[in-house]
Amino acid sequence: MTREELSDALNYVNSSREKRTRMSQIVMDNPHLIGPLIEIALENKDPISSKASWVLEFTVKGKLEYLFPYIDLFADHLGKPNLDSSIRPFAKICECLCLCYFSKTTNACQQILTDAHLEKIATACFDWLIGDHKVAAKAYSMTSLLLLGSKFSWIYEELQLVLEQNYSSGSAAYKARARHTLARLKGLRKGN
């Protein structure tokens, strides 16, 4: 499948789990499509970029290691997506990467992700947390930042500050996730 054929196939993807799963299976069967899929997602063309982002998320959730050859492309452009329907999947992928990297079980992710990659993820997560984005992207960012704080000491203080500043203006879902994250931060600080 060429990049053009991939782009055409994405036109048939919609928000249904079935269509996203079917397209992500095609990508998993052809992992060389990950690079073009990321490129399409980064174009910020509505709706094709969002569809590419959805498929990328489903693919990465199925086979995280398929992203590894393209990790530089992914991490170097985390700030580029500007469509909310693309940002949420990118934030979810960051969360998946962080959960894998900070797993107690030794895994390939810990060998692939460098400090530079993790710093780029942290920067993007703070941007999504501070920016005018939907709650899901903010929630995934909170999880990622909570994990990243164990590696980069400055994150916890900044995360607490952002959550406290934005708490009063947040939605009920944001407030619930922020309360949970602040409680975890408090617990982590007591443990030190």
Side-chain angles (χ1 to χ4, degrees):
M1 181 179 280
T2 66
R3 186 181 194 279
E4 291 75 28
E5 290 169 332
L6 174 63
S7 189
D8 289 343
L10 288 169
N11 284 318
Y12 297 98
V13 173
N14 61 28
S15 61
S16 75
R17 180 168 291 279
E18 176 190 346
K19 297 266 179 139
R20 289 185 281 173
T21 300
R22 188 177 312 141
M23 189 66 204
S24 73
Q25 188 58 56
I26 291 169
V27 174
M28 283 190 269
D29 292 342
N30 300 278
H32 68 278
L33 294 175
I34 298 281
L37 192 62
I38 294 170
E39 291 169 358
I40 294 167
L42 294 172
E43 290 175 355
N44 288 315
K45 291 182 183 171
D46 195 21
I48 196 76
S49 293
S50 296
K51 292 177 180 189
S53 299
W54 300 342
V55 172
L56 181 64
E57 174 195 358
F58 269 55
T59 303
V60 167
K61 284 171 32 181
K63 291 279 188 181
L64 184 63
E65 61 271 17
Y66 283 2
L67 181 61
F68 295 164
Y70 307 95
I71 196 66
D72 289 336
L73 175 64
F74 178 79
D76 290 347
H77 295 92
L78 280 172
K80 192 169 181 184
N82 61 19
L83 302 168
D84 261 335
S85 53
S86 293
I87 290 170
R88 189 208 53 77
F90 270 73
K92 179 61 177 177
I93 293 167
C94 288
E95 181 188 64
C96 291
L97 287 167
C98 288
L99 288 167
C100 183
Y101 183 86
F102 291 100
S103 170
K104 289 181 176 29
T105 307
T106 303
N107 60 67
C109 192
Q110 295 159 345
Q111 305 303 315
I112 298 295
L113 289 178
T114 65
D115 284 359
H117 294 132
L118 296 172
E119 287 171 356
K120 289 173 184 175
I121 290 172
T123 298
C125 287
F126 270 116
D127 288 345
W128 297 326
L129 190 57
I130 294 166
D132 185 22
H133 301 292
K134 295 190 178 177
V135 174
K138 292 177 183 287
Y140 298 142
S141 295
M142 287 181 212
T143 300
S144 295
L145 290 167
L146 201 54
L147 292 166
L148 288 162
S150 68
K151 184 160 185 76
F152 304 112
S153 59
W154 60 270
I155 289 179
Y156 288 156
E157 187 175 326
E158 291 296 317
L159 179 57
Q160 180 174 347
L161 183 66
V162 168
L163 295 177
E164 289 172 348
Q165 284 178 343
N166 296 328
Y167 187 83
S168 63
S169 62
S171 67
Y174 176 89
K175 287 178 180 177
R177 188 61 173 261
R179 274 193 308 273
H180 171 77
T181 304
L182 287 166
R184 297 259 326 262
L185 281 170
K186 186 177 179 182
L188 290 168
R189 290 219 165 122
K190 280 185 178 180
N192 287 343

